[in-house]
Structure formats: C-alpha cells, structure tokens
Amino acid sequence: MTGREQWGSRFGFIMAAAGSAVGLGNIWRFPYTTGENGGGAFLLIYLAIILGFGLAVVIAEMLIGRAAQKNPVGAFRELGGKGWSAVGFMGVLTGFIITSFYVVVAGWCLAYIGFMASGKLATTDAATLQGTFEGFISASGAPLVYAAVFMALVVLVLSGGIGKGIERANKVLMPLLFVLLILLVLRAVTLPGAEAGLRFYLIPDWSQVNLGTFREAVAQAFFSISLGMGTMITYGSYLSLKENVPSSALTVVLLDSAVAILAGLMIIPAVFAAGLNPSAGPGLTFITLPAVFAAMPAGAFFGIVFFLLLSIAALTSAVSILEPMIAYFVDEHRINRRKVVFGVCAVCFALGVPASLSLGMMAGFKIFGLSWFDLMDTLANNFML
Ligand code: PHE
C-alpha cells in the first residue's frame, strides 16, 4: 500500500475518537465511582477536571499524532529524539495490559445479553444475583469463550483498516449507542421513586469530598478520555495536516462527558427506585442492575438493550486500545496489517486468559499479594498511565 490511510471525513474521525472515549469507563466505572464518592459533588469535580485539564491533553495527543503522521513510538522519536520513543513504547505496552482485562469484562457484558434474554437474571434477590455473577466469572470455560467472541469482533473491525474498519463501525455504532442510552434514561427517570436518586446525583453534598475524591476524579477522567496510551496520538496520525484539532477534541470530550452524565442518570435513579445502594462498587452493573431490571415493567427488554449498549461501547474502545500497537508494527516493522491484527489480538487474548482464570481456578496464585487481574489493573491504571 502506498501512503498512510486517513479518515474519510471529519465526522468519521470524531465518531471514532468518541467511540474510543466512550467505553466501559463511562457506563460501568463512572456510575459506581460516582456512587461511591458521594454523587453530585464528584460529578462537578469530574467535569471541572475534564474541561480544565483533560481537554488540553487530548488536543496535545492529537496534535502530536497529526504532526508526526506516525504511531506513538515513531511520533515521539520523530518529535523528541531517540530517547523519547520510550514514552511511546510505554503507552503501547500499557495497551497490551489494559486490553487483557478489558476484553474479559467485555466478555461478561456479551454474556449478560444472553442471561437477560434467557430469564436467568429475573429475580430481585441480590444474594442470588451475586451468586450468579460470581459463579459465572470464576468459571474456567464460559468467560473465556465470551472473551474470545468479543476478541473476534475486534479483529473483524481492525482488519478492515482505518476507513473501512474503524471509521465505518463507529459511524454506525456510536449513533446507535446514543439512541439506546436516551431510551434507557427516559425509562429510569420516570420510575416511581427515582427522585431520591436524582437528588443524590444532581445536588452536590460537599461534606463527602476529600483529597481521595480528587484522586479518583483525575484517574476516572484520564481513563475515560483515553489518555496516556497513545490512542489519541494514533487516531490523530490519520488526520490530514490541515484538520482543525481543537474543535474536534472539544466535541469528543463533550460527547464523552455527556455519555458519562447520561449513564449516571440512567443507573443511579433506577438503583434508588429499586431501594438498592448506589455504592455497590464494580458489582453495581452486574449485580444491582439486574435486580433493577427484574423489578421494572418490560425489564428483560431494557436489560438486553442495556448490555447491548455496554458491549458496543466496549467494542469501539477495545479497538482503539489496540490500534496504537497495530500502527506501531505496521509503521516501524513494515508488517502486513492483517497479520499484525491477528498476532496482536492473539497475544492480548493470551494475556486475558490468566486475568480471567485468576478470578476462579487460579485465585490462589498471587504476585505481590494481588491476583493477576488486579495486578494488571493496578500496574496499568495506577502506575503506567
Ligand atoms: N476510554 C475508554 C473507556 O472509557 C478506555 C480507553 C482507555 C480506551 C485508553 C483507549 C485508551 O472505557
């Protein structure tokens, strides 16, 4: 192939970058983090960090990519000199680690579409739902099968290349995601008893805020707008030199925040309406929400829609976590894109296997006192990013 592929349109680029930003971070992590950190006050602090800080870094990453027209490793080498390529390399490496557990959680989302449809989750008893969830994620076979199916979808999108793969998928999936999200928000806020949740979510209670709140908000913000892994550098590298970066970046950041806010608006009032606790942590999505769906009219339908939404969001983000690595091997080692896609995805899946098994069969196997799943998570989020 001659020349580097580019986005087909500005809209396509914005959808792809927004597809990257909008992921499990917005719909799974944001609502429970907000629930654990006191609601409304956290929301305001989060937005201030995104707009005051995050936006500038998104613009910087996109500009680095656009200027160099290269993957993160090549871009840092070209703009900063040889030593700087280590920074890009770190990002690419972090991508491998993050994908390994991202794919496992994404597999759970796919599985839950089926569980919702089969009526397996049709109970409001939290203990039963917790049993179902823990039983499923600690199994050795099923979660890996779902992770493999998810990975196959990622391969499908990535092997299409930039315009026909990533851009095309995002142009369809992102608008669909918005429609599904609005549908679910309308359902949630009109449930009887939703007002208490709206109050918790929208009226800040500053007595809940401490230094830890800020740390959580910064971590959440950077993960949510896909920073630190070279994703925005790589997506920026498929822009032509005359593209206006700041206005696209602003749109992407606003879309990402809008989805996070709406995800909270969908989940928190529904949780209050069902008389449940919004600070249930990571289990909020997989344990508390099924109880909420079981209690609402046509809950199974809305539940299917919800987990579909979550899977779509995860897919467009997983693709973007892998693209910097793909671009690296294509640019620097001149390997055929399809081969790279298969190779990189196979390695990431292989890293996901211990991440998944560490929740069950291999639970006794610990490194620095952490399971493989938590080790990868801690290493990537608290250290490498
Ligand atoms: N922003 C994505 C999310 O919210 C995750 C992600 C991080 C994607 C870094 C790409 C790079 O889930």
Side-chain angles (χ1 to χ4, degrees):
M1 204 167 55
T2 54
R4 196 182 166 78
E5 229 196 308
Q6 288 195 337
W7 303 108
S9 64
R10 189 177 129 87
F11 176 72
F13 166 64
I14 290 175
M15 285 299 108
S20 166
V22 172
L24 294 174
N26 303 57
I27 303 172
W28 171 59
R29 202 172 184 282
F30 178 78
Y32 82 72
T33 310
T34 306
E36 283 176 334
N37 286 281
F42 181 82
L43 176 64
L44 285 183
I45 294 170
Y46 173 78
L47 291 176
I49 290 168
I50 288 265
L51 291 172
F53 242 159
L55 174 62
V57 186
V58 173
I59 294 174
E61 282 207 13
M62 285 178 178
L63 284 174
I64 288 173
R66 192 193 63 172
Q69 300 279 306
K70 280 203 172 64
N71 67 89
V73 179
F76 273 106
R77 191 186 48 238
E78 177 151 323
L79 300 175
K82 210 156 189 307
W84 278 93
S85 59
V87 176
F89 212 77
M90 189 79 152
V92 171
L93 217 60
T94 312
F96 272 101
I97 291 171
I98 294 211
T99 330
S100 71
F101 60 81
Y102 208 85
V103 165
V104 173
V105 179
W108 302 347
C109 303
L110 275 186
Y112 264 60
I113 300 177
F115 291 1
M116 272 289 162
S118 72
K120 193 175 170 148
L121 304 169
T123 167
T124 51
D125 179 40
T128 310
L129 290 166
Q130 181 164 5
T132 308
F133 177 60
E134 284 167 2
F136 170 67
I137 67 169
S138 63
S140 305
L144 288 178
V145 173
Y146 285 104
V149 172
F150 182 80
M151 205 48 151
L153 293 173
V154 172
V155 169
L156 198 72
V157 174
L158 280 172
S159 52
I162 310 310
K164 293 213 177 67
I166 301 177
E167 181 169 351
R168 194 163 66 174
N170 276 293
K171 272 183 4 196
V172 177
L173 294 175
M174 288 310 287
L176 176 64
L177 181 140
F178 266 96
V179 173
L180 298 181
L181 187 60
I182 302 284
L183 180 74
L184 288 165
V185 170
L186 290 178
R187 171 68 275 189
V189 297
T190 53
L191 286 169
E195 313 84 49
L198 287 172
R199 229 173 289 126
F200 170 82
Y201 186 48
L202 297 175
I203 302 177
D205 170 8
W206 297 103
S207 69
Q208 303 277 334
V209 174
N210 54 37
L211 210 62
T213 318
F214 283 89
R215 214 179 27 226
E216 271 298 327
V218 171
Q220 175 63 31
F222 273 56
F223 184 76
S224 189
I225 44 183
S226 303
L227 295 178
M229 247 182 282
T231 288
M232 292 303 177
I233 297 181
T234 309
Y235 276 16
S237 78
Y238 302 124
L239 283 173
S240 84
L241 288 171
K242 48 185 199 309
E243 201 64 55
N244 181 335
V245 164
S247 79
S248 304
L250 180 64
T251 312
V252 169
V253 165
L254 291 178
L255 285 174
D256 183 66
S257 305
V259 173
I261 292 172
L262 287 171
L265 211 48
M266 146 178 89
I267 291 176
I268 293 176
V271 169
F272 272 85
L276 295 163
N277 188 345
S279 57
L284 187 63
T285 301
F286 296 100
I287 298 168
T288 312
L289 273 188
V292 172
F293 289 124
M296 73 170 64
F301 168 76
F302 288 106
I304 294 171
V305 171
F306 174 78
F307 285 104
L308 182 66
L309 171 86
L310 204 55
S311 303
I312 293 173
L315 177 62
T316 53
S317 294
V319 160
S320 80
I321 306 178
L322 283 156
E323 181 57 29
M325 303 172 227
I326 312 289
Y328 166 73
F329 286 107
V330 171
D331 290 350
E332 307 291 311
H333 299 282
R334 304 258 153 235
I335 310 174
N336 169 280
R337 181 173 174 100
R338 251 166 230 274
K339 280 195 196 136
V340 173
V341 169
F342 275 99
V344 167
C345 290
V347 171
C348 285
F349 180 72
L351 287 172
V353 172
S356 179
L357 294 181
S358 71
L359 301 170
M361 196 173 99
M362 287 172 36
F365 175 72
K366 298 243 167 18
I367 307 165
F368 305 125
L370 294 170
S371 74
W372 181 275
F373 191 94
D374 291 337
L375 179 71
M376 293 292 120
D377 184 17
T378 310
L379 200 65
N381 283 328
N382 300 3
F383 189 62
M384 296 174 83
L385 282 186

